[in-house]
């Protein structure tokens, strides 16, 4: 699973500490989410999405999928 937290946060000109404060979590916890060391619980994920102005958590966290090989279908 990949996340786009850093890209989305930087696009909004926010620091990690800013997002952490908006989400009522520690800076260390947010840093670990950005580094892929931990996944937030659902409530925290919603708070992060809200802090970044997103309506859909899928904009942050997405399953990595391998492209379907058409030659395997033939």
């Amino acid at each position: 699973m990949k996340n786009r937290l850093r890209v989305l946060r930087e696009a909004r000109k926010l620091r990690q500490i800013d997002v952490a404060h908006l989400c009522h979590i520690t800076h260390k916890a947010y840093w670990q989410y950005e580094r892929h060391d931990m996944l937030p619980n659902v409530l925290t994920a919603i708070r992060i999405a809200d802090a970044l102005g997103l309506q859909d958590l899928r904009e942050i966290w997405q399953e990595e999928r391998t492209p379907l090989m058409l030659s395997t279908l033939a």
Side-chain angles (χ1 to χ4, degrees):
M1 183 173 292
K2 67 178 185 173
N3 78 56
R4 299 179 54 229
L5 282 175
R6 182 177 179 185
V7 171
L8 294 166
R9 175 181 57 78
E10 289 177 345
R12 287 152 179 81
K13 300 189 185 329
L14 293 169
R15 299 174 300 164
Q16 289 179 339
I17 193 83
D18 299 328
V19 178
H21 283 298
L22 290 169
C23 299
H24 308 288
I25 59 175
T26 65
H27 175 244
K28 182 179 178 180
Y30 181 80
W31 176 73
Q32 289 177 317
Y33 302 147
E34 252 192 39
R35 285 180 35 120
H36 309 268
D37 292 342
M38 288 181 13
L39 284 173
N41 63 38
V42 174
L43 179 58
T44 302
I46 291 169
R47 287 179 180 165
I48 292 170
D50 287 346
L52 296 174
L54 303 172
Q55 294 293 316
D56 191 339
L57 293 176
R58 288 173 286 202
E59 293 182 54
I60 303 171
W61 291 279
Q62 298 176 0
E63 290 288 329
E64 292 186 52
R65 299 179 188 207
T66 55
L68 181 61
M69 301 296 290
L70 295 178
S71 61
T72 61
L73 295 176

